[in-house]
């Protein structure tokens, strides 16, 4: 078996070890934990991989306070199947449910409610971490805080998360009341985010092909949990992409899709399922194949709030002028960041764009990097496959604390990914 990431780039030949209790006695080092491979780039890749996916038992649930105890290989989709019908939902969830709980902690993932609820580590009560020397450390916001702050967002570089207690939120419905707002440019998009900022969930799809006065035109979707008492949940996979598409189909496909949605939508209010609201792309299995056999990457950054408008105007203008952007440009509002050493979110706007891997694309990213840095931004490791060390470290003021932590616990030679070697963490 060879494990890849979601972007199918880079591809590296690897030996896969299933996690077992005595694994570190036999494991060739260095190695890196790997959940469900939904990170886009090389954060879960190396020649030796510790696969956690079979480590997926539910251990207990406290229905008084919503605390779920489970092993780290449990998928968010598995939690939803069991707990939505019982009236519980994830407190923070990313745009796919096919990730492990361990991967959610290691990337300290964010969802459409970051401005209200923060990132995944906010919902973590505690976890047990196995170090390469076999020692097990129990970490929480109060105990072994340095391990907690290094591991949440630490991209698997501090040990293997074995199991965790996370807090679910109670819900009274398996539907979301969604309002969709259409804007004509970035100014209107920012005004709409501001106007609807008290909604728990918000996300905008930006049309990257729009130019001139229409730069930043979007569909903003905001939502709240409904309270109709209906709690049913079923997996909504609609179809599967059977093979890699020829890459020329991509832009035609994506632009048509966005325009179809944009022009058929007025301000609308409707009740939709949790899956349609949170995980629309999960309905299409293997959608990454639309990007062709060379794979894809995602370029995701966050800009400080006060500089976001100007910075995004410039970046979107540059992307539109090249015609390379896909329809999948997703804009979200982040609330305040946390204290973890490498967690990505900081207060401001984050834009995530998918690009197919093609000649010169990395040169283009180098140019975009300069704009992101000029406006004080930073990049998300979970999406990255190419960021140069010098660019990466400028965005993370606590990087030296993380490096010192790894050194102090002799983790540098034992846990490594292709990414950690490249960015020097
Ligand atoms: C369609 C799509 C939408 C997405 N939307 C969002 C989003 O909205 N917000 C967001 O934040 N992210 C998003 N992501 C990224 C995704 O949530 C993260 O990359 C997540 O970490 C993937 O989890 P995984 O289980 O697949 O882990 P992997 O991709 O296998 O690994 C990711 C990282 O976690 C580490 N890791 C995994 N398991 C463990 C463990 N048990 N112990 C220690 N380290 C471990 C790995 O070493 C690696 O560094 C999206 C990805 C996709 C494909």
């Amino acid at each position: 078996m060879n494990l890849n990431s979601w972007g199918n780039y880079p591809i590296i030949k690897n030996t896969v070890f299933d996690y077992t209790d005595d694994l570190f006695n036999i494991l060739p080092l260095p190695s890196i934990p790997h959940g469900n491979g939904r990170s886009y780039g090389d954060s879960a890749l190396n020649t030796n991989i510790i696969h956690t996916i079979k480590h997926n038992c539910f251990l207990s649930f406290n229905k008084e306070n919503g605390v779920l105890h489970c092993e780290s290989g449990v998928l968010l989709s598995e939690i939803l199947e069991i707990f939505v019908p019982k009236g519980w939902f994830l407190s923070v969830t990313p745009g796919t449910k096919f990730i492990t709980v361990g991967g959610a902690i290691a990337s300290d993932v964010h969802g459409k409610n970051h401005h209200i609820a923060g990132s995944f580590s906010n919902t973590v009560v505690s976890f047990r971490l196995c170090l390469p020397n076999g020692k097990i450390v129990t970490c929480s916001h109060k105990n072994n805080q340095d391990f907690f702050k290094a591991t949440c967002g630490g991209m698997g570089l501090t040990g293997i998360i074995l199991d965790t207690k996370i807090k679910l939120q109670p819900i009274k419905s398996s539907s979301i009341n969604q309002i969709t707002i259409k804007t004509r440019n970035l100014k209107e998009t920012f005004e709409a985010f501001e106007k609807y900022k008290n909604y728990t969930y918000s996300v905008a799809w930006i049309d990257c092909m729009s130019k001139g006065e229409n730069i930043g035109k979007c569909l903003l979707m905001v939502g709240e949990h409904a309270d109709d008492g209906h709690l049913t949940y079923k997996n909504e996979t609609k179809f599967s992409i059977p093979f890699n598409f020829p890459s020329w189909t991509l832009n035609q496909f994506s632009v048509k899709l966005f325009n179809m949605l944009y022009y058929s939508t007025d301000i609308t209010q409707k009740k939709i399922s949790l899956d349609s609201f949170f995980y629309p792309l999960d309905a299409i299995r293997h959608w990454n194949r639309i990007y062709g056999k060379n794979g894809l990457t995602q370029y995701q950054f966050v800009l400080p709030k006060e500089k976001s408008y100007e910075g995004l105007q410039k970046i979107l203008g540059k992307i539109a002028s090249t015609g390379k952007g896909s329809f999948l440009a997703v804009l979200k509002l982040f609330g305040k960041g946390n204290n973890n050493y490498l967690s990505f979110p900081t207060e401001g706007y984050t834009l995530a764009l998918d690009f197919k891997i093609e000649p010169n694309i990395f040169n283009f990213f180098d140019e975009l990097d300069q704009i992101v840095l000029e406006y004080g931004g930073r990049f998300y490791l979970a999406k990255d496959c190419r960021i140069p060390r010098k660019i990466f470290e400028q965005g993370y003021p606590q990087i030296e604390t993380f490096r010192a932590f790894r050194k102090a616990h002799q983790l540098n030679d034992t846990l490594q990914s292709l990414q950690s070697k490249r960015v020097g963490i």
Side-chain angles (χ1 to χ4, degrees):
M1 173 165 63
N2 204 66
L3 290 177
N4 297 333
S5 66
W6 186 244
N8 283 319
Y9 180 91
I11 305 268
I12 173 177
K13 212 168 148 19
N14 44 54
T15 312
V16 179
F17 300 84
D18 281 331
Y19 177 78
T20 55
D21 289 347
D22 62 347
L23 179 68
F24 279 116
N25 295 331
I26 52 162
L27 185 69
L29 297 169
S31 55
I32 191 75
H34 189 106
N36 202 31
R38 253 32 183 211
S39 48
Y40 275 68
D42 51 1
S43 57
L45 295 182
N46 207 341
T47 43
N48 300 313
I49 283 181
I50 308 161
H51 207 195
T52 64
I53 202 90
K54 290 186 189 152
H55 203 60
N56 65 345
C57 291
F58 287 92
L59 302 171
S60 69
F61 180 65
N62 181 335
K63 56 179 192 262
E64 301 304 316
N65 61 12
V67 173
L68 168 67
H69 186 194
C70 64
E71 290 183 327
S72 66
V74 166
L75 294 172
L76 301 188
S77 59
E78 294 168 333
I79 297 179
L80 298 175
E81 272 165 34
I82 294 175
F83 288 95
V84 170
K86 296 183 196 303
W88 297 93
F89 186 64
L90 299 155
S91 304
V92 167
T93 179
T96 174
K97 60 184 175 173
F98 297 120
I99 71 163
T100 63
V101 176
I105 296 174
S107 298
D108 199 10
V109 298
H110 56 268
K112 298 174 174 60
N113 58 350
H114 188 277
H115 58 294
I116 305 272
S119 47
F120 197 82
S121 60
N122 286 25
T123 79
V124 173
V125 178
S126 64
F127 57 82
R128 289 190 316 137
L129 184 73
C130 178
L131 307 185
N133 62 11
K135 195 175 154 200
I136 294 177
V137 188
T138 301
C139 320
S140 70
H141 290 274
K142 292 212 173 105
N143 295 327
N144 292 309
Q145 277 180 354
D146 53 342
F147 277 94
F148 188 91
K149 287 193 276 190
T151 303
C152 299
M155 308 309 293
L157 297 166
T158 60
I160 302 181
I161 300 157
L162 298 180
D163 54 71
T164 179
K165 291 182 180 166
I166 56 169
K167 205 162 165 22
L168 304 182
Q169 58 165 322
I171 48 170
K172 294 189 183 124
S173 166
S174 48
S175 299
I176 291 281
N177 287 323
Q178 172 185 273
I179 303 176
T180 305
I181 303 107
K182 213 158 126 168
T183 72
R184 286 171 301 184
N185 52 43
L186 194 62
K187 185 164 172 287
E188 287 187 7
T189 299
F190 270 55
E191 285 165 0
F193 264 106
E194 200 50 39
K195 181 169 171 196
Y196 291 91
K197 69 177 179 219
N198 292 330
Y199 274 75
T200 307
Y201 301 105
S202 59
V203 62
W205 281 12
I206 302 269
D207 173 11
C208 286
M209 297 297 165
S210 290
K211 294 189 179 151
E213 60 191 26
N214 289 123
I215 282 178
K217 142 183 158 190
C218 87
L219 287 172
L220 172 67
M221 277 79 73
V222 298
E224 295 291 350
H225 289 281
D227 61 358
D228 55 25
H230 296 297
L231 289 162
T232 48
Y233 186 75
K234 81 174 185 343
N235 208 327
E236 289 190 0
T237 303
K238 295 201 172 69
F239 60 91
S240 176
I241 305 291
F243 49 77
N244 288 321
F245 276 26
S247 52
W248 53 262
T249 54
L250 176 69
N251 273 348
Q252 286 177 334
F253 173 79
S254 58
V255 173
K256 275 192 187 138
L257 187 60
F258 181 90
N259 284 334
M260 193 178 80
L261 288 170
Y262 188 86
Y263 291 109
S264 64
T265 307
D266 283 316
I267 293 199
T268 51
Q269 199 159 356
K270 59 180 176 179
K271 201 190 268 188
I272 62 173
S273 68
L274 291 171
D275 269 22
S276 305
F277 186 76
F278 289 102
Y279 317 113
L281 282 170
D282 285 348
I284 309 168
R285 288 265 165 171
H286 306 297
W287 64 258
N288 50 350
R289 291 177 178 163
I290 293 172
Y291 285 79
K293 68 176 175 12
N294 294 336
L296 79 147
T297 186
Q298 192 169 87
Y299 190 88
Q300 182 169 3
F301 59 90
V302 54
L303 298 182
K305 201 164 179 193
E306 67 283 2
K307 295 187 178 166
S308 288
Y309 179 75
E310 217 182 306
L312 283 169
Q313 190 79 23
K314 211 161 168 178
I315 288 169
L316 288 169
K318 196 163 180 70
I319 291 167
S321 69
T322 66
K324 286 187 196 298
S326 73
F327 87 101
L328 245 187
V330 175
L331 185 67
K332 288 183 199 147
L333 175 62
F334 280 163
K336 287 207 180 337
N338 58 33
N339 230 347
N340 303 330
Y341 304 148
L342 293 185
S343 281
F344 167 65
T346 55
E347 191 167 14
Y349 283 88
T350 179
L351 186 70
L353 301 127
D354 286 3
F355 290 88
K356 65 175 186 254
I357 302 285
E358 60 182 345
N360 291 327
I361 194 71
F362 290 169
N363 296 339
F364 179 59
F365 290 161
D366 290 343
E367 292 174 32
L368 293 183
D369 291 350
Q370 295 308 324
I371 309 178
V372 173
L373 288 188
E374 182 190 335
Y375 286 90
R378 63 160 62 157
F379 299 92
Y380 190 16
L381 287 176
K383 306 293 178 68
D384 162 65
C385 66
R386 41 64 60 179
I387 191 96
R389 174 180 174 143
K390 281 214 153 53
I391 303 283
F392 171 73
E393 55 193 12
Q394 288 185 55
Y396 286 86
Q398 297 205 74
I399 191 166
E400 290 309 334
T401 315
F402 185 77
R403 286 177 175 149
F405 177 89
R406 292 247 298 153
K407 194 167 173 209
H409 296 281
Q410 286 128 32
L411 299 167
N412 282 334
D413 298 330
T414 47
L415 291 167
Q416 291 176 2
S417 60
L418 295 185
Q419 180 178 66
S420 75
K421 289 186 264 185
R422 177 165 40 77
V423 302
I425 52 175

